[in-house]
Amino acid sequence: MSLQIYNTLKRQKEPFVPATPGYVGIYVCGPTVYSDPHLGHARGPIVYDVLRRWLRHQGYKVRFVSNITDVGHLTDDADEGEDKIQRRAKLERLEPMEVAEKYMWSYFDEMQALNVLRPDITPRAAGHIPEQIELTEALLKRGHAYVAGGSVYFRVKSWPAFGKLSNRDIEEQEAGARVEVREEKEDPRDFALWKRAEPEHIMRWNSPWGEGFPGWHIECSAMSLKYLGDGFDIHAGGVDLQFPHHEAEIAQAEAAGHAFARYWMHHYHVLLNGQKMAKSTGNLITLAELRARYEPMYIRFYLLNSHYRSVLDFTDEGLEAAKNGYLRLLNAYREVRRLLPRAPAGRHAGLDRAIENLRKDFANALNDDLNTAQAIAAFFNFVTELNKALSERPGRESLQAAEQVFAELGEGVLGLFPARVLENQLGGALLDGLVNLLLDIREEARRNRNFALSDRIRERLTELGVVVEDTREGPKWKVGT
């Protein structure tokens, strides 16, 4: 089965066919960098990281673009309120760009800890003012925008297709239903392409319409077209961005004469206490807080263990269960690596068959609208068969194939086993040697009936997260909870 993507624009799964054979262009709406990232900010980057990795695994050349919003995102969706960066700058008594730098790097640090690959291009809104002005001028020339009081607004009535992504009829949208409407607008549904800067507004640039700053929506249209070109393949982001942000992006681009994104993907919220995690409400748990308690790969595993189009309600119990599940996979990987150097030549039919089934089931899962939960389930099925095979001491060639599938699919696609984890938790040569030395001392103590020392060694290893299992073949160890 080829890759099927649920295309929000068509409201159905569709076979993915890139515009240019062998090449895929992806644009993902990135963060507004005015505070530390929380768990909800991690779901999208991790999901689309797997999408990128899977496409590359299938042989595509991928250009992955994800922006940084460092100007123009106001405190509501109706072109009112303060710029979020500027408001934070006042609170922290910093320059706005200091705020943007501080929290941009905080975001990147958290993504790196979660093993999210850096975008190929990370454009910043403040660095693309000329492109946003150029797109606004094109809309003015075509009659889809107008100047009012030093600001420029998109004329929604001029574009009947507005609402096609969110399936909203613009004639049925109630004017000013949510917020008080600016009197200078022709229509309450119109949105800002360029905003006049009030005297107290710090972030401002020169434009044909006077000093001001771009509207929030215009940045993504301008930057995605600049780096991916007309009719690029995939645009992705949170479901909360579907309206008005993504709807506005489409209208701006197409009304200016550009073909825009062909596939739209939207991930759903992470909830806390039954409510969406959000900076504005304070209902959140930061990634830094979670990392103080958990290995970041437990968090990544937790987020991938549900489908991206399902709502995920965060609980400590759920994360603990994810930790235990992750360690089961990790310890199976460690056992393969432990046995491999001393394995005799040969193959094991059962293990080879399990690897073949894993590859098939894994591919079917990810090709079915990136079903990472089913891909992980395929890994658990594989580990069950792997453990049976390991008790029969399989040959080197089969063990090498098992190690390869962990590296290729577990890390290369799902991103679950970075080098840091392989060294720190799976155990490099030094850790393997030290633990095995302790186990040899423990075995000698048991033979000498020094059970106090034997038990103490086992207890201390348990405290360090190393679980010792006594088997007929001798003691084995694994990373525990």
Side-chain angles (χ1 to χ4, degrees), residues 431 434-442 453-469 475-481:
L431 181 57
L434 291 173
V435 173
N436 288 328
L437 175 61
L438 287 171
L439 293 183
D440 288 344
I441 295 172
R442 177 173 174 267
L453 177 59
S454 169
D455 291 345
R456 180 165 175 74
I457 291 173
R458 182 171 187 157
E459 289 167 4
R460 290 299 303 274
L461 286 172
T462 301
E463 291 171 5
L464 294 170
V466 176
V467 175
V468 178
E469 295 179 349
K476 295 181 179 179
W477 66 275
K478 63 181 182 179
V479 179
T481 58

PDB file of all heavy atoms in Angstrom, residues 431 434-442 453-469 475-481:
ATOM      1  N   LEU A 431      29.635   0.370  30.328  1.00  0.00           N
ATOM      2  CA  LEU A 431      28.536   0.034  31.224  1.00  0.00           C
ATOM      3  C   LEU A 431      28.283  -1.475  31.229  1.00  0.00           C
ATOM      4  O   LEU A 431      28.079  -2.076  32.286  1.00  0.00           O
ATOM      5  CB  LEU A 431      27.271   0.779  30.812  1.00  0.00           C
ATOM      6  CG  LEU A 431      26.030   0.537  31.686  1.00  0.00           C
ATOM      7  CD1 LEU A 431      26.302   0.883  33.134  1.00  0.00           C
ATOM      8  CD2 LEU A 431      24.847   1.328  31.155  1.00  0.00           C
ATOM      9  N   LEU A 434      30.976  -3.092  33.388  1.00  0.00           N
ATOM     10  CA  LEU A 434      30.850  -2.835  34.823  1.00  0.00           C
ATOM     11  C   LEU A 434      29.701  -3.644  35.431  1.00  0.00           C
ATOM     12  O   LEU A 434      29.851  -4.232  36.511  1.00  0.00           O
ATOM     13  CB  LEU A 434      30.653  -1.344  35.077  1.00  0.00           C
ATOM     14  CG  LEU A 434      31.868  -0.447  34.796  1.00  0.00           C
ATOM     15  CD1 LEU A 434      31.483   1.020  34.927  1.00  0.00           C
ATOM     16  CD2 LEU A 434      33.012  -0.784  35.756  1.00  0.00           C
ATOM     17  N   VAL A 435      28.554  -3.663  34.745  1.00  0.00           N
ATOM     18  CA  VAL A 435      27.420  -4.419  35.279  1.00  0.00           C
ATOM     19  C   VAL A 435      27.742  -5.912  35.301  1.00  0.00           C
ATOM     20  O   VAL A 435      27.469  -6.608  36.294  1.00  0.00           O
ATOM     21  CB  VAL A 435      26.142  -4.138  34.463  1.00  0.00           C
ATOM     22  CG1 VAL A 435      25.000  -5.052  34.923  1.00  0.00           C
ATOM     23  CG2 VAL A 435      25.721  -2.684  34.606  1.00  0.00           C
ATOM     24  N   ASN A 436      28.338  -6.402  34.231  1.00  0.00           N
ATOM     25  CA  ASN A 436      28.681  -7.829  34.194  1.00  0.00           C
ATOM     26  C   ASN A 436      29.718  -8.188  35.248  1.00  0.00           C
ATOM     27  O   ASN A 436      29.690  -9.291  35.820  1.00  0.00           O
ATOM     28  CB  ASN A 436      29.164  -8.205  32.795  1.00  0.00           C
ATOM     29  CG  ASN A 436      28.039  -8.235  31.776  1.00  0.00           C
ATOM     30  OD1 ASN A 436      26.895  -8.553  32.115  1.00  0.00           O
ATOM     31  ND2 ASN A 436      28.342  -7.892  30.540  1.00  0.00           N
ATOM     32  N   LEU A 437      30.644  -7.262  35.535  1.00  0.00           N
ATOM     33  CA  LEU A 437      31.615  -7.493  36.601  1.00  0.00           C
ATOM     34  C   LEU A 437      30.907  -7.625  37.947  1.00  0.00           C
ATOM     35  O   LEU A 437      31.210  -8.537  38.746  1.00  0.00           O
ATOM     36  CB  LEU A 437      32.632  -6.350  36.646  1.00  0.00           C
ATOM     37  CG  LEU A 437      33.645  -6.376  37.796  1.00  0.00           C
ATOM     38  CD1 LEU A 437      34.496  -7.651  37.719  1.00  0.00           C
ATOM     39  CD2 LEU A 437      34.529  -5.131  37.756  1.00  0.00           C
ATOM     40  N   LEU A 438      29.942  -6.747  38.203  1.00  0.00           N
ATOM     41  CA  LEU A 438      29.180  -6.822  39.455  1.00  0.00           C
ATOM     42  C   LEU A 438      28.391  -8.130  39.537  1.00  0.00           C
ATOM     43  O   LEU A 438      28.276  -8.745  40.613  1.00  0.00           O
ATOM     44  CB  LEU A 438      28.241  -5.626  39.577  1.00  0.00           C
ATOM     45  CG  LEU A 438      28.904  -4.281  39.902  1.00  0.00           C
ATOM     46  CD1 LEU A 438      27.901  -3.149  39.769  1.00  0.00           C
ATOM     47  CD2 LEU A 438      29.478  -4.312  41.317  1.00  0.00           C
ATOM     48  N   LEU A 439      27.848  -8.547  38.416  1.00  0.00           N
ATOM     49  CA  LEU A 439      27.099  -9.802  38.421  1.00  0.00           C
ATOM     50  C   LEU A 439      28.013 -10.999  38.659  1.00  0.00           C
ATOM     51  O   LEU A 439      27.621 -11.972  39.324  1.00  0.00           O
ATOM     52  CB  LEU A 439      26.338  -9.963  37.097  1.00  0.00           C
ATOM     53  CG  LEU A 439      25.211  -8.954  36.849  1.00  0.00           C
ATOM     54  CD1 LEU A 439      24.502  -9.260  35.545  1.00  0.00           C
ATOM     55  CD2 LEU A 439      24.198  -8.951  38.002  1.00  0.00           C
ATOM     56  N   ASP A 440      29.242 -10.945  38.142  1.00  0.00           N
ATOM     57  CA  ASP A 440      30.205 -12.018  38.424  1.00  0.00           C
ATOM     58  C   ASP A 440      30.536 -12.072  39.912  1.00  0.00           C
ATOM     59  O   ASP A 440      30.621 -13.158  40.514  1.00  0.00           O
ATOM     60  CB  ASP A 440      31.488 -11.795  37.615  1.00  0.00           C
ATOM     61  CG  ASP A 440      31.293 -12.067  36.123  1.00  0.00           C
ATOM     62  OD1 ASP A 440      30.282 -12.712  35.775  1.00  0.00           O
ATOM     63  OD2 ASP A 440      32.143 -11.613  35.323  1.00  0.00           O
ATOM     64  N   ILE A 441      30.730 -10.894  40.532  1.00  0.00           N
ATOM     65  CA  ILE A 441      31.009 -10.837  41.973  1.00  0.00           C
ATOM     66  C   ILE A 441      29.813 -11.374  42.756  1.00  0.00           C
ATOM     67  O   ILE A 441      29.974 -12.106  43.753  1.00  0.00           O
ATOM     68  CB  ILE A 441      31.343  -9.390  42.391  1.00  0.00           C
ATOM     69  CG1 ILE A 441      32.656  -8.946  41.721  1.00  0.00           C
ATOM     70  CG2 ILE A 441      31.450  -9.273  43.908  1.00  0.00           C
ATOM     71  CD1 ILE A 441      32.960  -7.469  41.917  1.00  0.00           C
ATOM     72  N   ARG A 442      28.603 -11.017  42.280  1.00  0.00           N
ATOM     73  CA  ARG A 442      27.395 -11.496  42.959  1.00  0.00           C
ATOM     74  C   ARG A 442      27.295 -13.016  42.869  1.00  0.00           C
ATOM     75  O   ARG A 442      26.937 -13.687  43.857  1.00  0.00           O
ATOM     76  CB  ARG A 442      26.170 -10.846  42.328  1.00  0.00           C
ATOM     77  CG  ARG A 442      24.838 -11.310  42.909  1.00  0.00           C
ATOM     78  CD  ARG A 442      23.688 -10.492  42.348  1.00  0.00           C
ATOM     79  NE  ARG A 442      22.420 -11.019  42.799  1.00  0.00           N
ATOM     80  CZ  ARG A 442      21.700 -11.912  42.122  1.00  0.00           C
ATOM     81  NH1 ARG A 442      22.140 -12.388  40.951  1.00  0.00           N
ATOM     82  NH2 ARG A 442      20.543 -12.354  42.615  1.00  0.00           N
ATOM     83  N   LEU A 453      25.848 -10.038  50.790  1.00  0.00           N
ATOM     84  CA  LEU A 453      26.525  -9.290  49.730  1.00  0.00           C
ATOM     85  C   LEU A 453      25.792  -9.452  48.405  1.00  0.00           C
ATOM     86  O   LEU A 453      25.617  -8.483  47.651  1.00  0.00           O
ATOM     87  CB  LEU A 453      27.974  -9.765  49.590  1.00  0.00           C
ATOM     88  CG  LEU A 453      28.789  -9.117  48.460  1.00  0.00           C
ATOM     89  CD1 LEU A 453      28.849  -7.606  48.634  1.00  0.00           C
ATOM     90  CD2 LEU A 453      30.190  -9.718  48.394  1.00  0.00           C
ATOM     91  N   SER A 454      25.354 -10.667  48.117  1.00  0.00           N
ATOM     92  CA  SER A 454      24.624 -10.924  46.875  1.00  0.00           C
ATOM     93  C   SER A 454      23.372 -10.055  46.783  1.00  0.00           C
ATOM     94  O   SER A 454      23.107  -9.406  45.760  1.00  0.00           O
ATOM     95  CB  SER A 454      24.250 -12.400  46.799  1.00  0.00           C
ATOM     96  OG  SER A 454      23.340 -12.631  45.746  1.00  0.00           O
ATOM     97  N   ASP A 455      22.618 -10.024  47.892  1.00  0.00           N
ATOM     98  CA  ASP A 455      21.384  -9.235  47.893  1.00  0.00           C
ATOM     99  C   ASP A 455      21.681  -7.744  47.808  1.00  0.00           C
ATOM    100  O   ASP A 455      20.948  -6.983  47.154  1.00  0.00           O
ATOM    101  CB  ASP A 455      20.571  -9.520  49.162  1.00  0.00           C
ATOM    102  CG  ASP A 455      19.991 -10.932  49.158  1.00  0.00           C
ATOM    103  OD1 ASP A 455      19.976 -11.553  48.073  1.00  0.00           O
ATOM    104  OD2 ASP A 455      19.581 -11.410  50.231  1.00  0.00           O
ATOM    105  N   ARG A 456      22.758  -7.307  48.454  1.00  0.00           N
ATOM    106  CA  ARG A 456      23.101  -5.893  48.439  1.00  0.00           C
ATOM    107  C   ARG A 456      23.466  -5.439  47.017  1.00  0.00           C
ATOM    108  O   ARG A 456      23.057  -4.354  46.583  1.00  0.00           O
ATOM    109  CB  ARG A 456      24.253  -5.607  49.397  1.00  0.00           C
ATOM    110  CG  ARG A 456      24.653  -4.136  49.434  1.00  0.00           C
ATOM    111  CD  ARG A 456      25.525  -3.830  50.640  1.00  0.00           C
ATOM    112  NE  ARG A 456      26.004  -2.465  50.627  1.00  0.00           N
ATOM    113  CZ  ARG A 456      25.261  -1.400  50.900  1.00  0.00           C
ATOM    114  NH1 ARG A 456      23.982  -1.561  51.208  1.00  0.00           N
ATOM    115  NH2 ARG A 456      25.769  -0.187  50.869  1.00  0.00           N
ATOM    116  N   ILE A 457      24.211  -6.269  46.301  1.00  0.00           N
ATOM    117  CA  ILE A 457      24.566  -5.912  44.921  1.00  0.00           C
ATOM    118  C   ILE A 457      23.291  -5.785  44.073  1.00  0.00           C
ATOM    119  O   ILE A 457      23.121  -4.828  43.320  1.00  0.00           O
ATOM    120  CB  ILE A 457      25.518  -6.966  44.326  1.00  0.00           C
ATOM    121  CG1 ILE A 457      26.887  -6.883  45.015  1.00  0.00           C
ATOM    122  CG2 ILE A 457      25.660  -6.759  42.819  1.00  0.00           C
ATOM    123  CD1 ILE A 457      27.832  -7.997  44.601  1.00  0.00           C
ATOM    124  N   ARG A 458      22.390  -6.745  44.233  1.00  0.00           N
ATOM    125  CA  ARG A 458      21.156  -6.703  43.451  1.00  0.00           C
ATOM    126  C   ARG A 458      20.316  -5.480  43.815  1.00  0.00           C
ATOM    127  O   ARG A 458      19.771  -4.798  42.929  1.00  0.00           O
ATOM    128  CB  ARG A 458      20.352  -7.979  43.698  1.00  0.00           C
ATOM    129  CG  ARG A 458      19.069  -8.043  42.887  1.00  0.00           C
ATOM    130  CD  ARG A 458      18.423  -9.399  42.977  1.00  0.00           C
ATOM    131  NE  ARG A 458      17.299  -9.510  42.070  1.00  0.00           N
ATOM    132  CZ  ARG A 458      16.820 -10.641  41.608  1.00  0.00           C
ATOM    133  NH1 ARG A 458      17.386 -11.787  41.940  1.00  0.00           N
ATOM    134  NH2 ARG A 458      15.784 -10.661  40.793  1.00  0.00           N
ATOM    135  N   GLU A 459      20.215  -5.171  45.107  1.00  0.00           N
ATOM    136  CA  GLU A 459      19.421  -4.018  45.547  1.00  0.00           C
ATOM    137  C   GLU A 459      19.991  -2.708  45.017  1.00  0.00           C
ATOM    138  O   GLU A 459      19.248  -1.821  44.569  1.00  0.00           O
ATOM    139  CB  GLU A 459      19.342  -3.993  47.068  1.00  0.00           C
ATOM    140  CG  GLU A 459      18.479  -5.093  47.660  1.00  0.00           C
ATOM    141  CD  GLU A 459      18.673  -5.245  49.160  1.00  0.00           C
ATOM    142  OE1 GLU A 459      19.440  -4.433  49.737  1.00  0.00           O
ATOM    143  OE2 GLU A 459      18.081  -6.172  49.744  1.00  0.00           O
ATOM    144  N   ARG A 460      21.314  -2.572  45.054  1.00  0.00           N
ATOM    145  CA  ARG A 460      21.934  -1.338  44.578  1.00  0.00           C
ATOM    146  C   ARG A 460      21.762  -1.182  43.067  1.00  0.00           C
ATOM    147  O   ARG A 460      21.543  -0.073  42.571  1.00  0.00           O
ATOM    148  CB  ARG A 460      23.416  -1.302  44.944  1.00  0.00           C
ATOM    149  CG  ARG A 460      23.689  -1.125  46.442  1.00  0.00           C
ATOM    150  CD  ARG A 460      23.104   0.212  46.949  1.00  0.00           C
ATOM    151  NE  ARG A 460      23.631   1.360  46.226  1.00  0.00           N
ATOM    152  CZ  ARG A 460      24.767   1.990  46.526  1.00  0.00           C
ATOM    153  NH1 ARG A 460      25.500   1.572  47.551  1.00  0.00           N
ATOM    154  NH2 ARG A 460      25.152   3.039  45.817  1.00  0.00           N
ATOM    155  N   LEU A 461      21.864  -2.289  42.353  1.00  0.00           N
ATOM    156  CA  LEU A 461      21.630  -2.224  40.908  1.00  0.00           C
ATOM    157  C   LEU A 461      20.187  -1.831  40.612  1.00  0.00           C
ATOM    158  O   LEU A 461      19.915  -1.039  39.707  1.00  0.00           O
ATOM    159  CB  LEU A 461      21.959  -3.568  40.254  1.00  0.00           C
ATOM    160  CG  LEU A 461      23.456  -3.896  40.114  1.00  0.00           C
ATOM    161  CD1 LEU A 461      23.634  -5.334  39.636  1.00  0.00           C
ATOM    162  CD2 LEU A 461      24.148  -2.931  39.158  1.00  0.00           C
ATOM    163  N   THR A 462      19.256  -2.361  41.402  1.00  0.00           N
ATOM    164  CA  THR A 462      17.846  -1.992  41.227  1.00  0.00           C
ATOM    165  C   THR A 462      17.641  -0.510  41.460  1.00  0.00           C
ATOM    166  O   THR A 462      16.903   0.159  40.727  1.00  0.00           O
ATOM    167  CB  THR A 462      16.952  -2.806  42.175  1.00  0.00           C
ATOM    168  OG1 THR A 462      17.122  -4.206  41.895  1.00  0.00           O
ATOM    169  CG2 THR A 462      15.485  -2.435  42.011  1.00  0.00           C
ATOM    170  N   GLU A 463      18.281   0.036  42.486  1.00  0.00           N
ATOM    171  CA  GLU A 463      18.191   1.473  42.771  1.00  0.00           C
ATOM    172  C   GLU A 463      18.702   2.307  41.598  1.00  0.00           C
ATOM    173  O   GLU A 463      18.229   3.424  41.357  1.00  0.00           O
ATOM    174  CB  GLU A 463      18.985   1.810  44.030  1.00  0.00           C
ATOM    175  CG  GLU A 463      18.379   1.265  45.318  1.00  0.00           C
ATOM    176  CD  GLU A 463      19.315   1.425  46.510  1.00  0.00           C
ATOM    177  OE1 GLU A 463      20.381   2.045  46.343  1.00  0.00           O
ATOM    178  OE2 GLU A 463      18.972   0.915  47.595  1.00  0.00           O
ATOM    179  N   LEU A 464      19.666   1.765  40.857  1.00  0.00           N
ATOM    180  CA  LEU A 464      20.238   2.466  39.704  1.00  0.00           C
ATOM    181  C   LEU A 464      19.459   2.218  38.417  1.00  0.00           C
ATOM    182  O   LEU A 464      19.854   2.694  37.355  1.00  0.00           O
ATOM    183  CB  LEU A 464      21.699   2.030  39.509  1.00  0.00           C
ATOM    184  CG  LEU A 464      22.669   2.431  40.629  1.00  0.00           C
ATOM    185  CD1 LEU A 464      24.010   1.740  40.438  1.00  0.00           C
ATOM    186  CD2 LEU A 464      22.848   3.951  40.673  1.00  0.00           C
ATOM    187  N   GLY A 465      18.346   1.466  38.525  1.00  0.00           N
ATOM    188  CA  GLY A 465      17.517   1.217  37.353  1.00  0.00           C
ATOM    189  C   GLY A 465      17.913  -0.005  36.568  1.00  0.00           C
ATOM    190  O   GLY A 465      17.494  -0.173  35.415  1.00  0.00           O
ATOM    191  N   VAL A 466      18.732  -0.890  37.146  1.00  0.00           N
ATOM    192  CA  VAL A 466      19.157  -2.115  36.477  1.00  0.00           C
ATOM    193  C   VAL A 466      18.462  -3.295  37.152  1.00  0.00           C
ATOM    194  O   VAL A 466      18.669  -3.535  38.349  1.00  0.00           O
ATOM    195  CB  VAL A 466      20.688  -2.297  36.542  1.00  0.00           C
ATOM    196  CG1 VAL A 466      21.092  -3.634  35.919  1.00  0.00           C
ATOM    197  CG2 VAL A 466      21.386  -1.137  35.830  1.00  0.00           C
ATOM    198  N   VAL A 467      17.623  -4.015  36.386  1.00  0.00           N
ATOM    199  CA  VAL A 467      16.890  -5.160  36.911  1.00  0.00           C
ATOM    200  C   VAL A 467      17.661  -6.432  36.587  1.00  0.00           C
ATOM    201  O   VAL A 467      18.030  -6.675  35.428  1.00  0.00           O
ATOM    202  CB  VAL A 467      15.475  -5.233  36.309  1.00  0.00           C
ATOM    203  CG1 VAL A 467      14.754  -6.495  36.777  1.00  0.00           C
ATOM    204  CG2 VAL A 467      14.670  -3.995  36.694  1.00  0.00           C
ATOM    205  N   VAL A 468      17.934  -7.239  37.614  1.00  0.00           N
ATOM    206  CA  VAL A 468      18.678  -8.484  37.441  1.00  0.00           C
ATOM    207  C   VAL A 468      17.691  -9.641  37.446  1.00  0.00           C
ATOM    208  O   VAL A 468      16.828  -9.746  38.332  1.00  0.00           O
ATOM    209  CB  VAL A 468      19.718  -8.672  38.565  1.00  0.00           C
ATOM    210  CG1 VAL A 468      20.445 -10.005  38.404  1.00  0.00           C
ATOM    211  CG2 VAL A 468      20.710  -7.513  38.570  1.00  0.00           C
ATOM    212  N   GLU A 469      17.811 -10.518  36.456  1.00  0.00           N
ATOM    213  CA  GLU A 469      16.969 -11.711  36.379  1.00  0.00           C
ATOM    214  C   GLU A 469      17.867 -12.940  36.429  1.00  0.00           C
ATOM    215  O   GLU A 469      18.799 -13.074  35.622  1.00  0.00           O
ATOM    216  CB  GLU A 469      16.148 -11.709  35.084  1.00  0.00           C
ATOM    217  CG  GLU A 469      15.137 -10.576  34.995  1.00  0.00           C
ATOM    218  CD  GLU A 469      14.370 -10.591  33.680  1.00  0.00           C
ATOM    219  OE1 GLU A 469      14.778 -11.358  32.769  1.00  0.00           O
ATOM    220  OE2 GLU A 469      13.384  -9.849  33.568  1.00  0.00           O
ATOM    221  N   PRO A 475      22.746 -15.105  35.287  1.00  0.00           N
ATOM    222  CA  PRO A 475      22.039 -13.828  35.486  1.00  0.00           C
ATOM    223  C   PRO A 475      22.025 -12.992  34.206  1.00  0.00           C
ATOM    224  O   PRO A 475      22.990 -12.972  33.445  1.00  0.00           O
ATOM    225  CB  PRO A 475      22.846 -13.147  36.585  1.00  0.00           C
ATOM    226  CG  PRO A 475      24.222 -13.717  36.447  1.00  0.00           C
ATOM    227  CD  PRO A 475      24.041 -15.129  35.995  1.00  0.00           C
ATOM    228  N   LYS A 476      20.876 -12.309  33.989  1.00  0.00           N
ATOM    229  CA  LYS A 476      20.743 -11.331  32.909  1.00  0.00           C
ATOM    230  C   LYS A 476      20.302 -10.011  33.514  1.00  0.00           C
ATOM    231  O   LYS A 476      19.681  -9.981  34.579  1.00  0.00           O
ATOM    232  CB  LYS A 476      19.710 -11.802  31.865  1.00  0.00           C
ATOM    233  CG  LYS A 476      20.108 -13.063  31.126  1.00  0.00           C
ATOM    234  CD  LYS A 476      19.042 -13.417  30.102  1.00  0.00           C
ATOM    235  CE  LYS A 476      19.408 -14.671  29.309  1.00  0.00           C
ATOM    236  NZ  LYS A 476      18.369 -15.032  28.316  1.00  0.00           N
ATOM    237  N   TRP A 477      20.622  -8.937  32.819  1.00  0.00           N
ATOM    238  CA  TRP A 477      20.179  -7.642  33.326  1.00  0.00           C
ATOM    239  C   TRP A 477      19.529  -6.821  32.217  1.00  0.00           C
ATOM    240  O   TRP A 477      19.768  -7.037  31.037  1.00  0.00           O
ATOM    241  CB  TRP A 477      21.335  -6.866  33.949  1.00  0.00           C
ATOM    242  CG  TRP A 477      22.429  -6.434  32.985  1.00  0.00           C
ATOM    243  CD1 TRP A 477      23.493  -7.159  32.581  1.00  0.00           C
ATOM    244  CD2 TRP A 477      22.533  -5.156  32.336  1.00  0.00           C
ATOM    245  NE1 TRP A 477      24.262  -6.443  31.712  1.00  0.00           N
ATOM    246  CE2 TRP A 477      23.708  -5.207  31.543  1.00  0.00           C
ATOM    247  CE3 TRP A 477      21.770  -4.006  32.342  1.00  0.00           C
ATOM    248  CZ2 TRP A 477      24.124  -4.125  30.766  1.00  0.00           C
ATOM    249  CZ3 TRP A 477      22.169  -2.912  31.582  1.00  0.00           C
ATOM    250  CH2 TRP A 477      23.347  -2.986  30.798  1.00  0.00           C
ATOM    251  N   LYS A 478      18.683  -5.901  32.654  1.00  0.00           N
ATOM    252  CA  LYS A 478      18.014  -4.995  31.708  1.00  0.00           C
ATOM    253  C   LYS A 478      17.734  -3.688  32.440  1.00  0.00           C
ATOM    254  O   LYS A 478      17.754  -3.607  33.672  1.00  0.00           O
ATOM    255  CB  LYS A 478      16.716  -5.599  31.192  1.00  0.00           C
ATOM    256  CG  LYS A 478      15.664  -5.831  32.268  1.00  0.00           C
ATOM    257  CD  LYS A 478      14.406  -6.459  31.671  1.00  0.00           C
ATOM    258  CE  LYS A 478      13.326  -6.656  32.759  1.00  0.00           C
ATOM    259  NZ  LYS A 478      12.097  -7.250  32.180  1.00  0.00           N
ATOM    260  N   VAL A 479      17.478  -2.650  31.643  1.00  0.00           N
ATOM    261  CA  VAL A 479      17.080  -1.371  32.222  1.00  0.00           C
ATOM    262  C   VAL A 479      15.671  -1.521  32.737  1.00  0.00           C
ATOM    263  O   VAL A 479      14.780  -1.994  32.024  1.00  0.00           O
ATOM    264  CB  VAL A 479      17.151  -0.238  31.173  1.00  0.00           C
ATOM    265  CG1 VAL A 479      16.706   1.070  31.780  1.00  0.00           C
ATOM    266  CG2 VAL A 479      18.574  -0.123  30.641  1.00  0.00           C
ATOM    267  N   GLY A 480      15.416  -1.115  33.993  1.00  0.00           N
ATOM    268  CA  GLY A 480      14.108  -1.300  34.604  1.00  0.00           C
ATOM    269  C   GLY A 480      13.433   0.004  34.911  1.00  0.00           C
ATOM    270  O   GLY A 480      13.879   1.068  34.526  1.00  0.00           O
ATOM    271  N   THR A 481      12.300  -0.086  35.645  1.00  0.00           N
ATOM    272  CA  THR A 481      11.538   1.105  35.994  1.00  0.00           C
ATOM    273  C   THR A 481      11.957   1.611  37.357  1.00  0.00           C
ATOM    274  O   THR A 481      12.568   0.889  38.148  1.00  0.00           O
ATOM    275  CB  THR A 481      10.040   0.772  36.022  1.00  0.00           C
ATOM    276  OG1 THR A 481       9.817  -0.284  36.966  1.00  0.00           O
ATOM    277  CG2 THR A 481       9.571   0.339  34.652  1.00  0.00           C
TER     278      THR A 481
END
